[in-house]
PDB file of all heavy atoms in Angstrom:
ATOM      1  N   TYR A1365      21.544 -14.992 -11.070  1.00 59.00           N
ATOM      2  CA  TYR A1365      22.426 -13.833 -11.069  1.00 59.00           C
ATOM      3  C   TYR A1365      22.491 -13.259  -9.667  1.00 59.00           C
ATOM      4  O   TYR A1365      21.523 -13.286  -8.934  1.00 59.00           O
ATOM      5  CB  TYR A1365      21.895 -12.746 -12.009  1.00 59.00           C
ATOM      6  CG  TYR A1365      21.806 -13.170 -13.445  1.00 59.00           C
ATOM      7  CD1 TYR A1365      20.622 -13.654 -13.982  1.00 59.00           C
ATOM      8  CD2 TYR A1365      22.914 -13.079 -14.269  1.00 59.00           C
ATOM      9  CE1 TYR A1365      20.547 -14.039 -15.296  1.00 59.00           C
ATOM     10  CE2 TYR A1365      22.841 -13.462 -15.583  1.00 59.00           C
ATOM     11  CZ  TYR A1365      21.658 -13.939 -16.103  1.00 59.00           C
ATOM     12  OH  TYR A1365      21.588 -14.314 -17.406  1.00 59.00           O
ATOM     13  N   ARG A1366      23.621 -12.727  -9.324  1.00 63.00           N
ATOM     14  CA  ARG A1366      23.771 -12.014  -8.062  1.00 63.00           C
ATOM     15  C   ARG A1366      24.199 -10.593  -8.384  1.00 63.00           C
ATOM     16  O   ARG A1366      25.157 -10.378  -9.118  1.00 63.00           O
ATOM     17  CB  ARG A1366      24.833 -12.676  -7.195  1.00 63.00           C
ATOM     18  CG  ARG A1366      24.429 -14.019  -6.700  1.00 63.00           C
ATOM     19  CD  ARG A1366      25.259 -14.374  -5.478  1.00 63.00           C
ATOM     20  NE  ARG A1366      24.967 -15.708  -5.047  1.00 63.00           N
ATOM     21  CZ  ARG A1366      23.951 -16.027  -4.252  1.00 63.00           C
ATOM     22  NH1 ARG A1366      23.139 -15.116  -3.832  1.00 63.00           N
ATOM     23  NH2 ARG A1366      23.768 -17.273  -3.890  1.00 63.00           N
ATOM     24  N   LEU A1367      23.466  -9.625  -7.828  1.00 63.00           N
ATOM     25  CA  LEU A1367      23.799  -8.227  -8.076  1.00 63.00           C
ATOM     26  C   LEU A1367      24.912  -7.744  -7.161  1.00 63.00           C
ATOM     27  O   LEU A1367      25.750  -6.968  -7.563  1.00 63.00           O
ATOM     28  CB  LEU A1367      22.558  -7.349  -7.867  1.00 63.00           C
ATOM     29  CG  LEU A1367      21.462  -7.509  -8.902  1.00 63.00           C
ATOM     30  CD1 LEU A1367      20.263  -6.665  -8.510  1.00 63.00           C
ATOM     31  CD2 LEU A1367      21.955  -7.104 -10.270  1.00 63.00           C
ATOM     32  N   ASN A1368      24.890  -8.170  -5.909  1.00 64.00           N
ATOM     33  CA  ASN A1368      25.846  -7.715  -4.908  1.00 64.00           C
ATOM     34  C   ASN A1368      25.966  -6.194  -4.895  1.00 64.00           C
ATOM     35  O   ASN A1368      27.041  -5.635  -5.061  1.00 64.00           O
ATOM     36  CB  ASN A1368      27.224  -8.349  -5.128  1.00 64.00           C
ATOM     37  CG  ASN A1368      27.184  -9.837  -4.917  1.00 64.00           C
ATOM     38  OD1 ASN A1368      26.467 -10.320  -4.048  1.00 64.00           O
ATOM     39  ND2 ASN A1368      27.920 -10.573  -5.727  1.00 64.00           N
ATOM     40  N   PRO A1369      24.828  -5.478  -4.711  1.00 68.00           N
ATOM     41  CA  PRO A1369      24.898  -4.026  -4.686  1.00 68.00           C
ATOM     42  C   PRO A1369      25.631  -3.546  -3.437  1.00 68.00           C
ATOM     43  O   PRO A1369      25.724  -4.270  -2.447  1.00 68.00           O
ATOM     44  CB  PRO A1369      23.428  -3.600  -4.658  1.00 68.00           C
ATOM     45  CG  PRO A1369      22.734  -4.741  -4.003  1.00 68.00           C
ATOM     46  CD  PRO A1369      23.490  -5.975  -4.441  1.00 68.00           C
ATOM     47  N   PRO A1370      26.152  -2.305  -3.471  1.00 66.00           N
ATOM     48  CA  PRO A1370      26.883  -1.791  -2.322  1.00 66.00           C
ATOM     49  C   PRO A1370      25.999  -1.571  -1.097  1.00 66.00           C
ATOM     50  O   PRO A1370      26.481  -1.526   0.015  1.00 66.00           O
ATOM     51  CB  PRO A1370      27.456  -0.468  -2.817  1.00 66.00           C
ATOM     52  CG  PRO A1370      26.636  -0.107  -4.013  1.00 66.00           C
ATOM     53  CD  PRO A1370      26.129  -1.375  -4.586  1.00 66.00           C
ATOM     54  N   SER A1371      24.701  -1.409  -1.280  1.00 73.00           N
ATOM     55  CA  SER A1371      23.772  -1.306  -0.157  1.00 73.00           C
ATOM     56  C   SER A1371      22.454  -1.969  -0.571  1.00 73.00           C
ATOM     57  O   SER A1371      22.232  -2.232  -1.751  1.00 73.00           O
ATOM     58  CB  SER A1371      23.571   0.160   0.251  1.00 73.00           C
ATOM     59  OG  SER A1371      22.774   0.839  -0.670  1.00 73.00           O
ATOM     60  N   PRO A1372      21.577  -2.253   0.384  1.00 77.00           N
ATOM     61  CA  PRO A1372      20.354  -2.992   0.065  1.00 77.00           C
ATOM     62  C   PRO A1372      19.480  -2.303  -0.983  1.00 77.00           C
ATOM     63  O   PRO A1372      19.363  -1.086  -1.011  1.00 77.00           O
ATOM     64  CB  PRO A1372      19.622  -3.050   1.411  1.00 77.00           C
ATOM     65  CG  PRO A1372      20.692  -2.903   2.432  1.00 77.00           C
ATOM     66  CD  PRO A1372      21.706  -1.990   1.816  1.00 77.00           C
ATOM     67  N   ILE A1373      18.842  -3.105  -1.824  1.00 79.00           N
ATOM     68  CA  ILE A1373      17.934  -2.602  -2.853  1.00 79.00           C
ATOM     69  C   ILE A1373      16.605  -2.252  -2.194  1.00 79.00           C
ATOM     70  O   ILE A1373      16.052  -3.028  -1.434  1.00 79.00           O
ATOM     71  CB  ILE A1373      17.735  -3.658  -3.957  1.00 79.00           C
ATOM     72  CG1 ILE A1373      19.047  -3.862  -4.715  1.00 79.00           C
ATOM     73  CG2 ILE A1373      16.609  -3.256  -4.903  1.00 79.00           C
ATOM     74  CD1 ILE A1373      19.004  -4.980  -5.730  1.00 79.00           C
ATOM     75  N   ARG A1374      16.079  -1.066  -2.507  1.00 81.00           N
ATOM     76  CA  ARG A1374      14.821  -0.604  -1.933  1.00 81.00           C
ATOM     77  C   ARG A1374      13.726  -0.391  -2.970  1.00 81.00           C
ATOM     78  O   ARG A1374      12.566  -0.278  -2.629  1.00 81.00           O
ATOM     79  CB  ARG A1374      15.035   0.702  -1.164  1.00 81.00           C
ATOM     80  CG  ARG A1374      15.883   0.523   0.049  1.00 81.00           C
ATOM     81  CD  ARG A1374      15.190  -0.408   0.991  1.00 81.00           C
ATOM     82  NE  ARG A1374      15.996  -0.667   2.163  1.00 81.00           N
ATOM     83  CZ  ARG A1374      15.763  -1.638   3.008  1.00 81.00           C
ATOM     84  NH1 ARG A1374      14.779  -2.464   2.791  1.00 81.00           N
ATOM     85  NH2 ARG A1374      16.517  -1.813   4.047  1.00 81.00           N
ATOM     86  N   ALA A1375      14.077  -0.282  -4.245  1.00 85.00           N
ATOM     87  CA  ALA A1375      13.079  -0.121  -5.310  1.00 85.00           C
ATOM     88  C   ALA A1375      13.621  -0.799  -6.556  1.00 85.00           C
ATOM     89  O   ALA A1375      14.831  -0.804  -6.796  1.00 85.00           O
ATOM     90  CB  ALA A1375      12.814   1.350  -5.576  1.00 85.00           C
ATOM     91  N   LEU A1376      12.711  -1.366  -7.367  1.00 84.00           N
ATOM     92  CA  LEU A1376      13.126  -2.131  -8.535  1.00 84.00           C
ATOM     93  C   LEU A1376      12.104  -1.945  -9.646  1.00 84.00           C
ATOM     94  O   LEU A1376      10.906  -1.894  -9.391  1.00 84.00           O
ATOM     95  CB  LEU A1376      13.216  -3.609  -8.146  1.00 84.00           C
ATOM     96  CG  LEU A1376      13.668  -4.617  -9.179  1.00 84.00           C
ATOM     97  CD1 LEU A1376      15.110  -4.386  -9.580  1.00 84.00           C
ATOM     98  CD2 LEU A1376      13.495  -6.027  -8.627  1.00 84.00           C
ATOM     99  N   ASN A1377      12.577  -1.824 -10.887  1.00 84.00           N
ATOM    100  CA  ASN A1377      11.694  -1.710 -12.041  1.00 84.00           C
ATOM    101  C   ASN A1377      12.379  -2.361 -13.227  1.00 84.00           C
ATOM    102  O   ASN A1377      13.572  -2.153 -13.441  1.00 84.00           O
ATOM    103  CB  ASN A1377      11.384  -0.243 -12.334  1.00 84.00           C
ATOM    104  CG  ASN A1377      10.170  -0.073 -13.196  1.00 84.00           C
ATOM    105  OD1 ASN A1377      10.032  -0.731 -14.223  1.00 84.00           O
ATOM    106  ND2 ASN A1377       9.285   0.818 -12.794  1.00 84.00           N
ATOM    107  N   PHE A1378      11.624  -3.139 -14.000  1.00 82.00           N
ATOM    108  CA  PHE A1378      12.172  -3.844 -15.155  1.00 82.00           C
ATOM    109  C   PHE A1378      11.736  -3.188 -16.453  1.00 82.00           C
ATOM    110  O   PHE A1378      10.600  -2.749 -16.582  1.00 82.00           O
ATOM    111  CB  PHE A1378      11.716  -5.311 -15.165  1.00 82.00           C
ATOM    112  CG  PHE A1378      12.301  -6.127 -14.074  1.00 82.00           C
ATOM    113  CD1 PHE A1378      11.625  -6.312 -12.885  1.00 82.00           C
ATOM    114  CD2 PHE A1378      13.546  -6.698 -14.226  1.00 82.00           C
ATOM    115  CE1 PHE A1378      12.171  -7.060 -11.867  1.00 82.00           C
ATOM    116  CE2 PHE A1378      14.110  -7.457 -13.222  1.00 82.00           C
ATOM    117  CZ  PHE A1378      13.420  -7.635 -12.033  1.00 82.00           C
ATOM    118  N   GLN A1379      12.650  -3.138 -17.430  1.00 79.00           N
ATOM    119  CA  GLN A1379      12.370  -2.699 -18.792  1.00 79.00           C
ATOM    120  C   GLN A1379      12.604  -3.899 -19.691  1.00 79.00           C
ATOM    121  O   GLN A1379      13.718  -4.112 -20.175  1.00 79.00           O
ATOM    122  CB  GLN A1379      13.339  -1.593 -19.227  1.00 79.00           C
ATOM    123  CG  GLN A1379      13.105  -0.243 -18.656  1.00 79.00           C
ATOM    124  CD  GLN A1379      14.096   0.730 -19.263  1.00 79.00           C
ATOM    125  OE1 GLN A1379      15.298   0.574 -19.104  1.00 79.00           O
ATOM    126  NE2 GLN A1379      13.591   1.714 -19.960  1.00 79.00           N
ATOM    127  N   LEU A1380      11.579  -4.706 -19.898  1.00 74.00           N
ATOM    128  CA  LEU A1380      11.772  -5.917 -20.680  1.00 74.00           C
ATOM    129  C   LEU A1380      12.080  -5.618 -22.137  1.00 74.00           C
ATOM    130  O   LEU A1380      12.818  -6.355 -22.781  1.00 74.00           O
ATOM    131  CB  LEU A1380      10.560  -6.829 -20.561  1.00 74.00           C
ATOM    132  CG  LEU A1380      10.335  -7.413 -19.165  1.00 74.00           C
ATOM    133  CD1 LEU A1380       9.145  -8.340 -19.169  1.00 74.00           C
ATOM    134  CD2 LEU A1380      11.562  -8.136 -18.668  1.00 74.00           C
ATOM    135  N   SER A1381      11.554  -4.522 -22.684  1.00 75.00           N
ATOM    136  CA  SER A1381      11.824  -4.196 -24.088  1.00 75.00           C
ATOM    137  C   SER A1381      13.308  -3.897 -24.308  1.00 75.00           C
ATOM    138  O   SER A1381      13.846  -4.163 -25.371  1.00 75.00           O
ATOM    139  CB  SER A1381      10.972  -3.017 -24.541  1.00 75.00           C
ATOM    140  OG  SER A1381      11.253  -1.872 -23.761  1.00 75.00           O
ATOM    141  N   ASN A1382      13.974  -3.341 -23.307  1.00 77.00           N
ATOM    142  CA  ASN A1382      15.416  -3.042 -23.402  1.00 77.00           C
ATOM    143  C   ASN A1382      16.262  -4.079 -22.687  1.00 77.00           C
ATOM    144  O   ASN A1382      17.470  -3.912 -22.575  1.00 77.00           O
ATOM    145  CB  ASN A1382      15.716  -1.667 -22.813  1.00 77.00           C
ATOM    146  CG  ASN A1382      15.124  -0.552 -23.617  1.00 77.00           C
ATOM    147  OD1 ASN A1382      14.754  -0.740 -24.772  1.00 77.00           O
ATOM    148  ND2 ASN A1382      15.014   0.608 -23.024  1.00 77.00           N
ATOM    149  N   ARG A1383      15.609  -5.103 -22.139  1.00 83.00           N
ATOM    150  CA  ARG A1383      16.306  -6.164 -21.410  1.00 83.00           C
ATOM    151  C   ARG A1383      17.177  -5.586 -20.292  1.00 83.00           C
ATOM    152  O   ARG A1383      18.342  -5.919 -20.152  1.00 83.00           O
ATOM    153  CB  ARG A1383      17.110  -7.033 -22.356  1.00 83.00           C
ATOM    154  CG  ARG A1383      16.252  -7.650 -23.462  1.00 83.00           C
ATOM    155  CD  ARG A1383      17.055  -8.459 -24.433  1.00 83.00           C
ATOM    156  NE  ARG A1383      17.714  -9.605 -23.845  1.00 83.00           N
ATOM    157  CZ  ARG A1383      17.115 -10.769 -23.543  1.00 83.00           C
ATOM    158  NH1 ARG A1383      15.852 -10.920 -23.773  1.00 83.00           N
ATOM    159  NH2 ARG A1383      17.809 -11.758 -23.018  1.00 83.00           N
ATOM    160  N   SER A1384      16.586  -4.678 -19.517  1.00 86.00           N
ATOM    161  CA  SER A1384      17.333  -4.053 -18.441  1.00 86.00           C
ATOM    162  C   SER A1384      16.465  -3.904 -17.193  1.00 86.00           C
ATOM    163  O   SER A1384      15.254  -4.089 -17.235  1.00 86.00           O
ATOM    164  CB  SER A1384      17.865  -2.687 -18.886  1.00 86.00           C
ATOM    165  OG  SER A1384      16.806  -1.830 -19.238  1.00 86.00           O
ATOM    166  N   ALA A1385      17.118  -3.575 -16.095  1.00 87.00           N
ATOM    167  CA  ALA A1385      16.432  -3.360 -14.826  1.00 87.00           C
ATOM    168  C   ALA A1385      17.032  -2.135 -14.153  1.00 87.00           C
ATOM    169  O   ALA A1385      18.220  -1.832 -14.323  1.00 87.00           O
ATOM    170  CB  ALA A1385      16.590  -4.579 -13.923  1.00 87.00           C
ATOM    171  N   LEU A1386      16.204  -1.434 -13.412  1.00 90.00           N
ATOM    172  CA  LEU A1386      16.640  -0.290 -12.619  1.00 90.00           C
ATOM    173  C   LEU A1386      16.429  -0.641 -11.160  1.00 90.00           C
ATOM    174  O   LEU A1386      15.388  -1.207 -10.803  1.00 90.00           O
ATOM    175  CB  LEU A1386      15.802   0.937 -12.956  1.00 90.00           C
ATOM    176  CG  LEU A1386      16.048   1.543 -14.319  1.00 90.00           C
ATOM    177  CD1 LEU A1386      14.793   2.164 -14.860  1.00 90.00           C
ATOM    178  CD2 LEU A1386      17.151   2.570 -14.210  1.00 90.00           C
ATOM    179  N   TYR A1387      17.395  -0.307 -10.314  1.00 89.00           N
ATOM    180  CA  TYR A1387      17.179  -0.514  -8.892  1.00 89.00           C
ATOM    181  C   TYR A1387      17.754   0.647  -8.105  1.00 89.00           C
ATOM    182  O   TYR A1387      18.747   1.255  -8.475  1.00 89.00           O
ATOM    183  CB  TYR A1387      17.739  -1.859  -8.400  1.00 89.00           C
ATOM    184  CG  TYR A1387      19.234  -2.028  -8.444  1.00 89.00           C
ATOM    185  CD1 TYR A1387      20.019  -1.669  -7.348  1.00 89.00           C
ATOM    186  CD2 TYR A1387      19.861  -2.576  -9.552  1.00 89.00           C
ATOM    187  CE1 TYR A1387      21.392  -1.846  -7.368  1.00 89.00           C
ATOM    188  CE2 TYR A1387      21.237  -2.749  -9.576  1.00 89.00           C
ATOM    189  CZ  TYR A1387      21.996  -2.380  -8.487  1.00 89.00           C
ATOM    190  OH  TYR A1387      23.353  -2.545  -8.505  1.00 89.00           O
TER     191      TYR A1387
END
Side-chain angles (χ1 to χ4, degrees):
Y1365 298 95
R1366 292 201 185 276
L1367 291 176
N1368 295 324
S1371 74
I1373 293 174
R1374 293 298 177 194
L1376 182 66
N1377 198 312
F1378 291 94
Q1379 285 184 298
L1380 293 182
S1381 60
N1382 293 343
R1383 303 177 63 78
S1384 60
L1386 289 149
Y1387 66 90

